[in-house]
Amino acid sequence: MTDRLNIGVLVSGSGSNLQAIMDGCTNDTIPGRVTVVVSNKDGVFALERARNAGLPAVVINHDRYGGREYFEKALAEVLEQHGVQLICLAGFMRILSPWFIRYFSGRILNIHPALLPAFPGLHVQKRALEMGVRFSGATVHFVDDGVDTGPIVIQAVVPILPDDDVDTLSARILVQEHRIYPLAVRWFAQKRLRLVNGKVQLDAGLEHEREMTLAADKAWIHPPAS
Ligand code: GRF
């Protein structure tokens, strides 16, 4: 008997956030273990990362099912078979139905490469550059019925620099994603996340944890005054 949290990670692409979560489990940042990785696409690098770590890597290709309902039933079945207690969406490019979200109610996290509620949806780095905003960042949130609308757990802020393009901005955001996603999962596993009036409250942690987080009392002002 172990009290480590069983985590299922859903992916569709390169899986760098999956890697951060697997590493977090290995180095004990996260008191959990990834029990299954599921991709809706064959041949993605995330599957290789899972196999390299010796984890079950399952492909459930949405194209091979006669509708979302059947795809999601298959997905839920695999997650149940692996005893999943928390689902982490990590670059998973399918919208989940209200049925699926209710089935795993309060147990699905997502990472989004923008400061929600600004820039939900797709192509968010490009849209942030087009809008000329000075900051962007990353958000980990619980998943609800909307697109990128659920209660926010943690955010990290990065500046947008004058010479940025989609690639440089995405890379800067991704560094922070790999930092905050394992933290959010850690807190979930420690049962320290509480929903109060639709917002996430974090129960107090240990003093040394402050070093792992961004300084909550600091504001980021950008560009700096010269
Ligand atoms: C990340 O930017 C994540 O925020 C978004 O999709 C990207 C996935 O990257 N949802 P990876 O597959 O984790 O490398």
Side-chain angles (χ1 to χ4, degrees):
M1 210 26 205
T2 166
D3 56 1
R4 289 180 86 82
L5 184 78
N6 288 343
I7 302 163
V9 185
L10 306 191
V11 296
S12 306
S14 102
S16 67
N17 279 290
L18 161 69
Q19 190 69 56
I21 292 167
M22 291 189 304
D23 292 348
C25 292
T26 311
N27 68 26
D28 263 350
T29 303
I30 300 170
R33 57 178 172 210
V34 176
T35 57
V36 66
V37 175
V38 184
S39 173
N40 66 311
K41 274 169 134 182
D42 217 340
V44 296
F45 189 53
L47 290 164
E48 212 171 305
R49 291 184 195 266
R51 290 182 193 122
N52 287 342
L55 298 174
V58 180
V59 178
I60 304 180
N61 188 331
H62 57 277
D63 284 336
R64 301 210 187 108
Y65 289 81
R68 183 161 74 168
E69 191 185 331
Y70 300 104
F71 164 69
E72 289 188 349
K73 287 247 158 73
L75 187 56
E77 206 173 297
V78 167
L79 295 167
E80 293 286 21
Q81 277 164 5
H82 289 85
V84 166
Q85 297 164 296
L86 171 69
I87 298 170
C88 292
L89 309 185
F92 183 65
M93 298 302 284
R94 304 300 299 171
I95 301 221
L96 295 165
S97 72
W99 172 80
F100 187 93
I101 289 160
R102 225 172 303 119
Y103 191 93
F104 290 99
S105 174
R107 298 191 289 141
I108 312 175
L109 291 174
N110 181 42
I111 183 131
H112 183 75
L115 291 175
L116 293 172
F119 302 110
L122 295 174
H123 311 300
V124 296
Q125 296 92 340
K126 180 166 178 280
R127 282 160 51 210
L129 288 167
E130 282 167 0
M131 289 302 291
V133 293
R134 301 303 203 214
F135 292 104
S136 188
T139 304
V140 178
H141 64 95
F142 281 102
V143 173
D144 68 7
D145 282 5
V147 176
D148 302 320
T149 53
I152 290 168
V153 178
I154 185 170
Q155 294 184 304
V157 180
V158 303
I160 294 184
L161 304 177
D163 293 335
D164 269 341
D165 56 27
V166 170
D167 290 340
T168 56
L169 177 58
S170 302
R172 190 174 309 118
I173 292 172
L174 212 47
V175 170
Q176 298 304 321
E177 293 186 35
H178 301 159
R179 192 173 178 198
I180 64 175
Y181 212 173
L183 272 175
V185 176
R186 169 188 175 84
W187 294 335
F188 183 95
Q190 292 172 326
K191 300 188 171 50
R192 287 170 55 196
L193 300 179
R194 249 164 255 291
L195 261 190
V196 180
N197 298 327
K199 289 193 273 186
V200 177
Q201 245 176 37
L202 173 66
D203 284 357
L206 304 170
E207 192 57 30
H208 77 267
E209 283 201 320
R210 288 177 56 81
E211 286 160 31
M212 297 167 69
T213 60
L214 300 170
D217 55 341
K218 279 196 191 131
W220 282 266
I221 297 175
H222 177 71
S226 54

